[in-house]
Amino acid sequence: SSLKRAMVEDLLARQLPGAPPFRWLEAPGDARRHRIQLHWDGRNLGFHGRRSHRLVPVSACPAAAPCLSEALPALSEALRSGALPPRPQRWELATGTPADTVFAVLPDGRAWRLEGGEWSPTREPITHRQGSIRLQHRPGSFFQVCAPLAMEAFGRVLEGWDLRGETLYDLYGGVGLFSALLGERFRHRILVEGNADAVQSARANLEAMDLPATCVAEAVEAWMPEGLGAAGDLLLLDPPRTGLDAGLSARLLGARASALVLIGCDGAAFCRDVKRLSPAWRLEDLAVLDLFPLTRHVECVGLFRPVQP
């Protein structure tokens, strides 16, 4: 953890020398991944070597939640025996919050649930619970890698910033995590997400929490209009690892909201986007979350206010 923090300090000192001091949220020692992706080559199950397609067979994973790590032999045996589709391909093992039920998922969305050492086909959603928040999604849909840690850490940061107002624009909104975390602090919610399955889940999740929202199944880059927002509105963006599209960054320069929150899981892309936004948006506060234990990755969360003319 100290090494990761030093890496962040070095990156920000070089790329964003004028940035405010960042708040560091360290992962607890028992934090583990609730999703892992593996590869089956027809004989062995494992991970690809760094920058390689060479398969490294594994029978346990110390970075994964115990229930996922313990399920690896059962998955490997089912693939060898033909109880699960045995052709070479990628598999995902996932669990909910709390970590108990284990799902094995193929890229096409087919899923199996591990019960008594056997895999049974399932259409059951994965459920994440934390406090009053309950989020469900189809197995294989994107959700935070360390789900309970992410919900707790993001919630703490957003609560500390006391963001509230009229309309929340939840862009790259997934299944509704940030709309749920901000809850009733905003009168209205507009969630935009390119994955239609995720949008369907978001709509159901937010309705179940009495947080009705307009949920749009469209790529943010295509949907984003010029001059988005008004006084009292918040733009919250959680783009993929590559960060913000250059055209989208340019349109954000003309947005009229009172605040903007940018989330980034790649430090270099996040710094690039901060610089692209700087003509119109001033980075006011910054938190760095260790949401990827036992890896070099971190999550950056920045709060921006409009640059005063």
Side-chain angles (χ1 to χ4, degrees), residues 164-169 185-189 230-234:
R164 59 184 70 242
E166 293 299 318
T167 300
L168 165 65
Y169 291 92
R185 294 185 179 94
F186 288 85
R187 294 177 184 270
H188 312 286
R189 289 150 222 89
D233 294 347
L234 170 66

Side-chain angles (χ1 to χ4, degrees), residues 6 37 50 98 158 160 246 262 265 271 281:
Q37 291 186 346
R50 179 174 167 80
L158 294 174
L262 176 64
C265 60
C271 291
W281 294 96

